[in-house]
Amino acid sequence: MQPPQREDLLAPIFDGDIVLTQPIEADRAGLATACAADSETWPYFPSDWGPVGFDASFSAMLPDDQRCPFVIRQDGRIVGMSGYVNFALGRETLEIGNTYIMPDLRGGPFNLRIKRLLIERAFSCGIRRIEFRVDARNSRSQAAVLKLGAQQEGLLRAERVTWTGHIRDICLFGLLPQDWAKGAGKGS
C-alpha cells in the first residue's frame, strides 16, 4: 500500500462556515490581527507569534516542508491557525500542532470542530497515528487533547528551548483511529 501523500493532506478543508486553507502572503495581515488578540498564549509556543515576532514566524512557516499549516477562517474572517507538522508519511504518522484560536472562540465546540476536520482528513489519507505535543505548563491544551480521545504517552523532558529562553518539557499524546472512534470522533 502506498504511504499517505502530502498533497492529499494539503487540500483545503470546508465545513459550513469554517474553511481551512494553506497560508499565503495575502493572509499575513489577517493572521497577525488574529494572533495579536492574545498575548498570554505565545510563551507556550516554540516561536513568537505575538506582534513582535509574528512576521519572522509567519515567514519561517511558509517554506518549511515538515509543516502543512492551515489558516482558519470562520465566515471569511481569519480566526486562527493549526496544521500538520513533523511528517513521517512513510510511517503513516504526523503531529497536529501550532494551533491557535482567538480567545472569543476558544474553550467551546469550535476547537473540536477544527480538530475533527484535521483528524478526519489525516485518517482518511492513510495516517494511522496522530501525535500532539503540548507544553507541560499548558493544562488547558492538555485537557483539550484528552477530550479528543488521545492518550498521554509520556513526558519529553527539556525537549526544546523556546523563543523566551524557557527550557520546555513536552507532554506527548497519541491518537489512533480506534481512540478517535471511541472519543470525540464518535460525536461526543
Side-chain angles (χ1 to χ4, degrees), residues 6 12-13 21 49 56 60 113 170 172:
R6 180 179 167 86
I13 304 172
T21 58
W49 285 88
R113 283 182 71 192
I170 291 290
L172 176 64

Side-chain angles (χ1 to χ4, degrees), residues 71-83:
V71 170
I72 303 167
R73 289 178 176 77
Q74 182 182 42
D75 294 324
R77 176 178 77 132
I78 294 176
V79 297
M81 63 183 173
S82 193

